[in-house]
Amino acid sequence: CDRFLEYWNLVFNQFNQDTEGVLHPLKQTGIDTGSGLERVALLLQGVESVYETDQLKRIILEIEKLTGLEYEKNEKAPFRVLTDHSRSITFAISDGILPDKTGRGYVIRRIIRRAALFARKLNQREPFLYKLIPTVVDIYKDEYPEVKERELEIQKIVYGEEKLFLNTLEIGLNLLENQMETYKQKKETVFSGKELFKLYGTYGFPSEMMREILQENQLQFDDKGFDEEFEKDRALSRESWKGKKVSYLSGIDSKLPPTVFTGYESVNGKGIALLLIKGKELVSTLRVGDEGCIALSSSSFYGESGGQIGDTGFLITSNSTFQVIDTQKENDVVLHIGKVLKGEFLLNTEISTEVDDSKRNLLTYHHSGTHLLHGALRRVLGNHVSQKASLVSNEYLRFDFSHPSQMLDTEIQRVEDDVNLAIQNSIPVDVNVFGIEDAKKTGAIAFFEEKYGDRVRVVKMGEFSSEFCGGCHVKNTGEIGYFMILKESSPGAGNRRIEALCGEKVPEYFHSEFQILKNSVSDFNLKTKEIMQNTSLFITEDIPTPEEIQKIFKEKKSSGVSILRIKRKKLLEVLEDRKEILNKEKKNKEQILNKKLLTYADEIFASHKEVAGILFFHYKFIEVKMDALKELGDTLKNKYPNSVLFFVNSNGDSDALLFMAGKEAVKRKVNSGELLNKVSSILGGRGGGKPELAQGSSKEKNKYEEAINIILQELKSKE
């Protein structure tokens, strides 16, 4: 009736329910009030929702100002979603969580995309969410100064993500809306998984967003059909991608002029379409839905070469969009591989190039980091070190080099420190183009198995690195931010391999690793209290929070890598040492308990019943480990192969049940699982198992006599 508002609801955390439905009392109970600061603010300010409280109202007023629409006169949901999501995104990115394809980064990507969808409901067809960041920062900057420090960075990341997504949103949404109208006219309620996957696979429309839109329109998402199409496509992609790639590369006219690469100066550019390929055929037009590739006279897209993977992004004309999912290079011709999302592309027309700059930035960090790594290895290990292979991606870098033995931990640390020193010194990156002979005279490292033209690009980073290279690099080493070696290994005899991270990937790594460590320590402490019944082995060392990690990097810059690496190593050592102590203590206690349980054997045997030559043992225990009961059961059934055991382990409101049968009893068709099923209906429990062993639960504690009679009747039938 909306006359009452519940704002304080006490929840007492008391039990943990296992997979068998048994309730176990928690070692540590708690109370959750269900209240929160904003709910209290709502009451004190006398408003209808948290969105009308003073802080959030400021964001809504900014949305009104930017859109020209009034909150009270329009649907409120878009205003509220944008308000909530702008704040969530600001704090998440300030904590170092960036949009990504997996994990928590994908959650951030989904939030930004969902905001873009709701901005569209307010007639916003261009990036919008990023415009709200300054207002959010202004509200919270005093309590959370880190959001102010990273304001421009947050805006740039959100803008880039919105811009990337809006290219696919408009096309996919129009198609989805048209198809929904058809479904409504036919009065069908389940939207075909095949059609949904086409929107997802061909136009890049996110499945979770389609699901939400369908739900708003009272239509069901066909999960089964979508999953089937997804699996088919994945299998096809695995088989066909290599063939497609070869097909596209072999389709190049050898007379085609080299592509002029403009990507060193800008991620955006223009070029004339000189070649269109669909399948194995040269075509004059690529239409919506077509997969293929486009070669341009000039492009800002970097074609995979020199270890650096190809760029992704979009090719655009006034009414057409081509999504570039990979960029390759053959005979100096750059091939943009992907699919047409909208409109059509014609030969000899001008096309704009828009590279995904967030990915490109990470590529430059990792490429420049690779050069610094090579220089550091030569200084630490010797001039015999030379590059054998490399991979430069936006996720990490991989560098193979000549060296006869595994690197020592101290050598790895020295190399890492050397690279971070170069980053901390913010050295300008000088790029010059020389004739091949003049380039050699500079002393720059060259890989003479590589093919070089008459003109060579030399990339120099002060005294730290100088190499021949045609790849993309930072303007200043300080842009790399941080460098961290993940691992050192061997790809083959006489060579070593280093995998490393640069830029924001480093704080992300530590956020993830310390979160895993925090969970491990928490689990260990709970286990310790359960086994030791005290806190003597508790790990109480501080584990850095995301905010603390960010603060360390802000204050210590690239040297924060070494600080956090050492801190993590020490925590892991403490955890391993305590685990070893706990395991010893656990084994001691188990041995004592098992010896104690074995003293029950005579008492259990003394109370046995014999039915049709089968010995039936029944005993009730209180809060004993099930593993210990199974060990006791093994002892009894091995000693008496014609035995059947029924143990009850009382633990709080419900009991755990254990049935076991010896070899001879099993030969006589006694089945522990069937016995458990027979008594479950009476005891109000459930469970299952095999002839030799079955486990279950019981809630009816006063019906064991009735259950035993049923078991005896069942055993009697084995005569």
Side-chain angles (χ1 to χ4, degrees):
C1 65
D2 291 335
R3 289 188 298 122
F4 305 103
L5 172 70
E6 179 187 275
Y7 69 95
W8 188 286
N9 174 16
L10 294 180
V11 177
F12 296 86
N13 309 314
Q14 193 172 353
F15 297 104
N16 173 52
Q17 181 171 301
D18 66 22
T19 53
E20 294 174 357
V22 179
L23 291 172
H24 303 284
L26 294 172
K27 300 296 179 185
Q28 180 142 353
T29 55
I31 303 171
D32 180 4
T33 69
S35 187
L37 183 63
E38 284 175 351
R39 189 175 289 189
V40 174
L42 176 152
L43 291 164
L44 292 174
Q45 293 175 30
V47 292
E48 293 296 318
S49 80
V50 292
Y51 294 99
E52 279 99 54
T53 53
D54 49 12
Q55 289 186 337
L56 296 188
K57 185 66 177 175
R58 280 182 61 186
I59 303 174
I60 286 178
L61 288 171
E62 183 64 16
I63 296 170
E64 287 184 324
K65 178 182 168 186
L66 292 169
T67 62
L69 300 172
E70 291 183 40
Y71 174 69
E72 294 296 342
K73 294 182 180 178
N74 290 276
E75 184 191 352
K76 293 182 178 179
F79 289 88
R80 293 180 171 186
V81 168
L82 287 162
T83 297
D84 176 78
H85 288 10
S86 62
R87 186 171 63 164
S88 302
I89 288 300
T90 301
F91 280 95
I93 296 177
S94 75
D95 278 345
I97 307 170
L98 301 175
D100 206 345
K101 292 180 286 188
T102 58
R104 60 185 189 167
Y106 185 60
V107 176
I108 302 307
R109 176 162 284 172
R110 283 181 63 177
I111 290 173
I112 294 173
R113 289 179 170 185
R114 189 168 185 267
L117 180 66
F118 277 88
R120 193 176 186 273
K121 294 183 179 184
L122 298 179
N123 303 321
Q124 303 304 303
R125 298 292 196 271
E126 297 295 325
F128 180 79
L129 188 66
Y130 83 100
K131 296 177 183 177
L132 302 178
I133 306 299
T135 303
V136 176
V137 167
D138 194 51
I139 294 169
Y140 296 102
K141 65 185 178 185
D142 293 333
E143 290 83 4
Y144 304 96
E146 64 270 21
V147 297
K148 181 63 180 174
E149 290 159 8
R150 300 192 69 185
E151 180 179 352
L152 293 177
E153 182 187 352
I154 295 166
Q155 274 195 288
K156 184 181 176 184
I157 290 167
V158 175
Y159 175 82
E161 190 67 25
E162 284 188 282
K163 192 168 182 290
L164 195 66
F165 176 59
L166 285 169
N167 283 308
T168 60
L169 175 64
E170 196 70 30
I171 302 159
L173 205 51
N174 287 335
L175 287 166
L176 182 61
E177 285 171 348
N178 290 337
Q179 289 179 2
M180 283 194 303
E181 196 57 43
T182 304
Y183 273 82
K184 287 176 183 177
Q185 287 171 4
K186 292 181 180 177
K187 296 186 178 177
E188 294 179 10
T189 57
V190 181
F191 201 105
S192 159
K194 192 170 184 178
E195 291 180 19
L196 287 167
F197 185 78
K198 186 179 178 183
L199 286 167
Y200 168 80
T202 306
Y203 304 104
F205 202 74
S207 59
E208 69 274 1
M209 197 164 281
M210 288 190 282
R211 190 184 300 277
E212 190 169 331
I213 294 166
L214 291 176
Q215 195 173 355
E216 285 177 4
N217 288 271
Q218 289 76 51
L219 290 167
Q220 291 178 34
F221 188 104
D222 176 14
D223 283 288
K224 188 181 176 195
F226 183 87
D227 291 342
E228 285 172 357
E229 292 299 314
F230 188 87
E231 285 305 316
K232 280 185 207 170
D233 182 76
R234 192 153 62 175
L236 264 172
S237 294
R238 279 195 296 265
E239 295 300 318
S240 67
W241 171 241
K242 285 187 180 178
K244 273 186 185 176
K245 201 167 174 179
V246 170
S247 166
Y248 292 148
L249 293 173
S250 62
I252 298 176
D253 185 343
S254 58
K255 294 178 183 176
L256 210 62
T259 306
V260 177
F261 179 60
T262 61
Y264 294 134
E265 294 78 32
S266 172
V267 291
N268 298 325
K270 292 181 185 295
I272 305 298
L274 302 181
L275 184 80
L276 304 179
I277 303 175
K278 179 182 176 184
K280 295 183 179 181
E281 303 295 324
L282 297 176
V283 294
S284 58
T285 309
L286 282 174
R287 294 183 173 84
V288 65
D290 284 348
E291 291 186 356
C293 71
I294 300 175
L296 304 175
S297 58
S298 62
S299 174
S300 55
F301 280 77
Y302 185 84
E304 183 174 315
S305 58
Q308 182 177 323
I309 67 170
D311 282 328
T312 58
F314 294 92
L315 302 183
I316 294 171
T317 67
S318 57
N319 56 7
S320 304
T321 305
F322 181 91
Q323 183 179 18
V324 180
I325 59 173
D326 189 19
T327 309
Q328 293 290 318
K329 189 163 75 170
E330 184 76 5
N331 297 326
D332 292 325
V333 176
V334 172
L335 283 178
H336 309 82
I337 300 170
K339 56 191 174 186
V340 181
L341 300 181
K342 176 184 173 186
E344 61 181 17
F345 287 82
L346 307 172
L347 274 174
N348 302 316
T349 56
E350 187 176 67
I351 295 172
S352 297
T353 59
E354 293 187 4
V355 174
D356 177 354
D357 57 350
S358 59
K359 180 180 176 182
R360 167 69 79 78
N361 287 339
L362 283 165
L363 281 166
T364 62
Y365 302 160
H366 285 115
H367 204 153
S368 297
T370 301
H371 281 222
L372 293 174
L373 169 62
H374 191 184
L377 286 166
R378 289 169 67 87
R379 281 186 289 280
V380 172
L381 300 180
N383 287 336
H384 65 278
V385 169
S386 65
Q387 178 179 324
K388 293 300 176 185
S390 72
L391 171 69
V392 176
S393 80
N394 52 311
E395 298 292 332
Y396 74 109
L397 69 88
R398 189 178 71 218
F399 187 76
D400 293 356
F401 58 98
S402 56
H403 187 59
S405 59
Q406 181 178 351
M407 289 176 67
L408 302 172
D409 288 345
T410 51
E411 290 172 333
I412 292 171
Q413 189 63 60
R414 282 172 62 197
V415 167
E416 185 177 270
D417 290 344
D418 189 295
V419 175
N420 277 316
L421 177 64
I423 292 170
Q424 216 158 8
N425 286 347
S426 297
I427 301 160
V429 177
D430 295 322
V431 179
N432 293 289
V433 179
F434 298 98
I436 185 67
E437 293 305 320
D438 289 334
K440 289 177 184 178
K441 291 174 187 175
T442 66
I445 296 172
F447 310 105
F448 293 103
E449 63 273 15
E450 295 275 342
K451 292 178 182 177
Y452 296 107
D454 294 333
R455 306 286 290 170
V456 180
R457 196 165 172 266
V458 175
V459 178
K460 183 175 172 61
M461 303 175 192
E463 299 305 311
F464 287 87
S465 172
S466 182
E467 294 188 20
F468 288 20
C469 184
C472 301
H473 289 275
V474 295
K475 305 292 183 192
N476 184 295
T477 58
E479 293 173 32
I480 300 170
Y482 325 104
F483 172 86
M484 190 195 76
I485 294 175
L486 284 175
K487 66 176 181 179
E488 191 263 4
S489 60
S490 173
N495 291 325
R496 304 303 299 174
R497 169 175 289 172
I498 279 180
E499 293 176 29
L501 299 175
C502 291
E504 56 260 37
K505 291 294 176 182
V506 177
E508 278 184 39
Y509 169 83
F510 281 114
H511 289 159
S512 174
E513 288 299 302
F514 279 116
Q515 184 58 51
I516 292 168
L517 192 50
K518 182 180 178 183
N519 294 339
S520 298
V521 168
S522 178
D523 291 343
F524 172 81
N525 286 346
L526 285 171
K527 196 174 179 182
T528 298
K529 190 171 181 183
E530 184 182 335
I531 293 168
M532 303 283 291
Q533 300 299 309
N534 61 53
T535 61
S536 59
L537 279 181
F538 266 29
I539 297 172
T540 56
E541 283 85 348
D542 288 335
I543 298 173
T545 63
E547 293 82 7
E548 288 166 343
I549 292 168
Q550 211 65 45
K551 187 178 179 184
I552 287 169
F553 278 119
K554 181 192 166 191
E555 293 176 355
K556 304 296 182 181
K557 307 298 181 188
S558 55
S559 61
V561 175
S562 180
I563 293 167
L564 289 167
R565 183 195 285 284
I566 292 166
K567 191 168 188 66
R568 177 175 172 270
K569 185 182 177 184
K570 285 181 178 176
L571 283 166
L572 283 170
E573 286 171 353
V574 170
L575 181 59
E576 289 308 310
D577 289 345
R578 300 285 174 89
K579 276 183 177 179
E580 195 174 329
I581 296 169
L582 184 63
N583 284 335
K584 286 179 182 175
E585 185 65 28
K586 183 183 176 185
K587 283 178 184 176
N588 290 337
K589 289 203 167 193
E590 283 174 352
Q591 286 172 0
I592 294 167
L593 178 62
N594 290 342
K595 285 177 183 175
K596 185 179 177 183
L597 281 174
L598 288 173
T599 62
Y600 287 110
D602 292 339
E603 188 180 337
I604 294 169
F605 181 76
S607 62
H608 81 274
K609 291 182 172 66
E610 186 171 345
V611 183
I614 297 171
L615 302 180
F616 174 62
F617 300 138
H618 167 61
Y619 203 84
K620 188 170 184 179
F621 299 87
I622 297 174
E623 293 189 351
V624 174
K625 294 286 182 186
M626 289 301 284
D627 286 345
L629 287 187
K630 288 174 188 175
E631 194 169 323
L632 173 62
D634 285 337
T635 301
L636 285 167
K637 71 187 182 72
N638 289 338
K639 189 174 182 180
Y640 307 105
N642 62 332
S643 63
V644 172
L645 294 77
F646 173 37
F647 290 162
V648 176
N649 190 19
S650 185
N651 194 352
D653 287 348
S654 64
D655 293 342
L657 308 180
L658 177 67
F659 279 90
M660 298 179 79
K663 288 180 181 178
E664 293 301 320
V666 172
K667 282 181 184 177
R668 293 184 59 183
K669 306 298 182 186
V670 174
N671 187 310
S672 297
E674 289 178 4
L675 290 176
L676 177 60
N677 289 333
K678 293 272 184 187
V679 301
S680 287
S681 56
I682 297 166
L683 298 177
R686 58 180 181 171
K690 300 175 181 179
E692 299 85 3
L693 183 145
Q695 284 180 254
S697 61
S698 165
K699 294 179 181 176
E700 301 290 341
K701 298 193 173 198
N702 58 347
K703 292 190 177 181
Y704 286 120
E705 285 300 323
E706 192 177 340
I708 288 168
N709 287 333
I710 289 173
I711 295 166
L712 293 172
Q713 289 272 340
E714 187 66 23
L715 296 179
K716 194 174 180 182
S717 70
K718 305 300 177 185
E719 284 181 327

